[in-house]
């Protein structure tokens, strides 16, 4: 029997067409016509969808922490409200979009939006600007799927560098314009933990604040019975030393480890930076005129070419922009440098570079629910102590 293949893109277009015609028909009322109870219910449902979409687009949106890159400040299973008004809500790039989903439909993996109408970058006035220390939700800049900016995957990190700053990391310490910055209160690093081969007690680990049992299971599956990697705070590392089975603990130092340094931004053999030893890197500001040549074009190529839509080439040691030799470039947007508080377990700006202003979604402001995914006891799954707390109270400020 021949397998039938469904064209989900066509199905999506048909659904959008039917939905649009249905909305027009239902909203069209003849003079003097009385609405039926069914019509009133349908009208109320349509109004609710439209109102919720407006709130989600311009006021606030719910967001879930999917990875451990911000632990222990924000935990996997935290449910957040993200304020769109804090920095100003963006006008959607693709206004024709299926409500309540991000970039794919819940069936068939088809796109949740139509590109019949495309709008450039515009942002409404906000309550303020991004500050160092803010926990920011943004669209992943280095995504290669070819989606519109507002449909790229959402990430959350802490802003550590703002437009016009020069950032440098020396031995895991962030410096901005030559001044050491305050570290997040719950900042984590990777530690090598050496044991006598005995098994850890998970309940004992939870009591000192470590709860990533899945990581432990993965390490055991790979044959780790004496040497483990824990991503923990300095305080937790001190408490772990008191475990009777622990023989030694050493913090990882990526300046001393051997790995592919081209995996670190700017992904060039000319730069031998590491996650623990990075920069100096100037973060562009809108209107800045930055000198460029073959020695530093790697730092700004993606911003100039991918985010600001120019053609960049190098010919005989000379940088060419849009077919013209260039010794400088004037940036059209502000840029930011984002890092996770879980410093050795975070894919952030140290790996893919700047976050442009048009990728900024909003500010994480409030945790309304927190769910422990590794807890089997249903009554212990909810982290009651985190409910209805501001992000600043949980993640701290810098």
């Amino acid at each position: 029997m021949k397998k039938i293949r469904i064209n989900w893109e066509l199905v999506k277009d048909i659904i959008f067409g039917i939905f649009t015609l249905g909305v027009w028909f239902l909203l069209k009322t003849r003079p003097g016509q009385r609405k039926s109870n069914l019509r009133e219910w349908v009208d109320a449902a349509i109004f609710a969808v439209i109102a919720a979409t407006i709130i989600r687009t311009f006021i606030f949106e719910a967001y879930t922490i999917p990875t451990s890159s911000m632990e222990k400040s924000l935990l996997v299973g935290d449910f957040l409200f993200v304020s769109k008004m804090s920095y100003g809500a963006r006008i959607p790039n693709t206004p024709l979009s299926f409500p309540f989903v991000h970039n794919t439909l819940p069936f068939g993996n088809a796109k949740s939006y139509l590109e019949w109408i495309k709008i450039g970058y515009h942002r409404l006035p906000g309550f303020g600007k991004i500050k160092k220390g803010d926990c920011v939700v943004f669209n992943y800049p280095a995504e290669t799927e070819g989606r519109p900016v507002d449909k790229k995957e959402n990430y959350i990190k802490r802003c550590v560098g703002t437009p016009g700053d020069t950032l440098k990391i020396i031995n895991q310490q962030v410096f901005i314009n030559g001044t050491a910055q305050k570290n997040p209160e719950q900042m984590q690093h990777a530690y090598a933990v050496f044991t006598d081969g005995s098994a850890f007690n998970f309940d004992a680990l939870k009591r000192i604040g470590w709860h990533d049992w899945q990581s432990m299971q993965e390490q055991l599956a790979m044959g780790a019975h004496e040497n483990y990697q824990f991503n923990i705070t300095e305080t937790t590392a001190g408490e772990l030393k008191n475990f009777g089975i622990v023989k030694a603990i050493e913090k990882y130092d990526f300046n001393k480890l051997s790995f592919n340094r081209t995996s670190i931004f700017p992904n060039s053999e000319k730069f031998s930076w590491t996650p623990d030893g990075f920069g100096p890197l100037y973060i562009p500001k809108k209107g800045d005129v930055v000198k460029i040549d073959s020695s530093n074009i790697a730092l700004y190529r993606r911003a100039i070419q991918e985010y600001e839509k120019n053609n960049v080439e190098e010919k005989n040691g000379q940088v060419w922009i849009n077919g013209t030799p260039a010794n400088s470039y004037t940036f059209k947007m502000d840029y930011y440098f984002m890092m996770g508080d879980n410093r050795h377990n975070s894919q952030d700006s140290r790996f893919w570079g700047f976050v442009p202003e048009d990728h900024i979604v909003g500010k994480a402001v409030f945790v309304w629910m927190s769910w422990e995914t590794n807890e089997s006891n249903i009554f212990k799954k909810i982290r009651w102590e985190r409910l209805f707390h501001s992000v600043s109270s949980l993640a701290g400020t810098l």
Side-chain angles (χ1 to χ4, degrees), residues 335-390:
Y335 290 84
Y336 301 87
F337 198 93
M338 309 287 185
M339 290 176 63
D341 289 359
N342 197 352
R343 291 293 166 84
H344 286 158
N345 192 26
S346 173
Q347 283 287 322
D348 51 39
S349 288
R350 292 170 295 175
F351 295 87
W352 36 256
F354 309 114
V355 177
E357 65 174 81
D358 67 341
H359 284 57
I360 301 297
V361 174
K363 181 180 181 180
V365 294
F366 191 72
V367 175
W368 63 273
M369 173 58 76
S370 186
W371 190 261
E372 177 55 75
T373 56
N374 294 317
E375 178 58 65
S376 58
N377 187 329
I378 187 65
F379 299 104
K380 296 181 179 180
K381 270 190 168 298
I382 297 177
R383 304 184 186 110
W384 298 100
E385 73 281 1
R386 298 182 67 82
L387 269 56
F388 307 112
H389 280 69
S390 68

Side-chain angles (χ1 to χ4, degrees), residues 101-112:
V101 294
H102 184 44
N103 50 33
T104 57
L105 293 174
F107 52 86
N109 204 35
K111 293 190 296 186
S112 65

Side-chain angles (χ1 to χ4, degrees), residues 52-291:
T53 301
I54 291 173
I55 291 172
R56 184 174 181 265
T57 302
F58 297 106
I59 301 177
F60 66 82
E61 182 177 1
Y63 181 82
T64 306
I65 300 293
T67 69
S68 59
S69 68
M70 283 295 292
E71 291 198 356
K72 290 180 45 180
S73 302
L74 296 174
L75 307 180
V76 173
D78 279 351
F79 293 79
L80 313 174
F81 281 137
V82 176
S83 169
K84 302 291 185 73
M85 300 184 295
S86 293
Y87 310 131
R90 292 179 303 182
I91 304 300
N93 300 133
T94 48
L96 298 179
S97 180
F98 200 85
F100 309 130
V101 294
H102 184 44
N103 50 33
T104 57
L105 293 174
F107 52 86
N109 204 35
K111 293 190 296 186
S112 65
Y113 54 92
L114 294 173
E115 298 187 71
W116 298 346
I117 300 175
K118 292 183 179 181
I119 300 175
Y121 170 58
H122 300 281
R123 189 179 292 274
L124 300 177
F127 293 145
K129 295 183 178 181
I130 298 175
K131 300 182 180 65
K132 283 185 278 292
D134 285 357
C135 293
V136 181
V137 174
F138 55 91
N139 298 114
Y140 178 43
E143 184 177 304
T144 58
E145 300 295 327
R147 290 185 281 228
V149 169
D150 63 339
K151 296 302 180 183
K152 293 181 178 181
E153 293 297 331
N154 289 326
Y155 271 40
I156 182 168
K157 307 289 180 187
R158 192 185 294 274
C159 177
V160 297
T162 53
D165 286 338
T166 296
L167 176 141
K168 190 170 185 178
I169 302 173
I170 303 174
N171 296 328
Q172 304 176 354
Q173 174 63 55
V174 175
F175 289 79
I176 297 294
N177 303 323
T179 301
Q181 301 298 289
K182 180 182 176 182
N183 292 319
E185 296 172 6
Q186 299 292 330
M187 183 175 65
Q188 295 191 153
H189 288 97
Y191 288 79
V193 179
F194 304 92
T195 74
D196 61 10
S198 303
F200 279 102
N201 181 289
F202 188 47
D203 289 333
L205 290 173
K206 286 200 296 184
R207 284 195 291 271
I208 65 170
W210 190 86
H211 61 92
D212 193 0
W213 186 239
Q214 183 177 350
S215 171
M216 176 67 74
Q217 291 176 318
E218 291 173 353
Q219 292 185 63
L220 289 172
M222 296 175 63
H225 297 286
E226 296 179 353
N227 303 335
Y228 300 87
Q229 177 181 312
F230 282 72
N231 290 287
I232 49 180
T233 66
E234 186 174 350
T235 299
T236 302
E239 294 174 330
L240 196 59
K241 290 180 181 178
N242 296 325
F243 279 46
I245 67 172
V246 174
K247 296 165 60 178
I249 296 180
E250 297 177 4
K251 182 190 285 188
Y252 278 75
D253 183 352
F254 282 95
N255 290 324
K256 299 177 181 178
L257 296 177
S258 175
F259 64 98
N260 181 11
R261 304 212 171 183
T262 59
S263 65
I264 306 298
F265 182 80
N267 317 111
S268 168
E269 294 180 354
K270 293 182 179 179
F271 297 84
S272 58
W273 298 349
T274 77
D276 294 337
F278 188 96
L281 175 65
Y282 179 75
I283 304 170
K285 183 178 182 180
K286 183 178 180 179
D288 272 355
V289 179
V290 176
K291 292 182 179 181

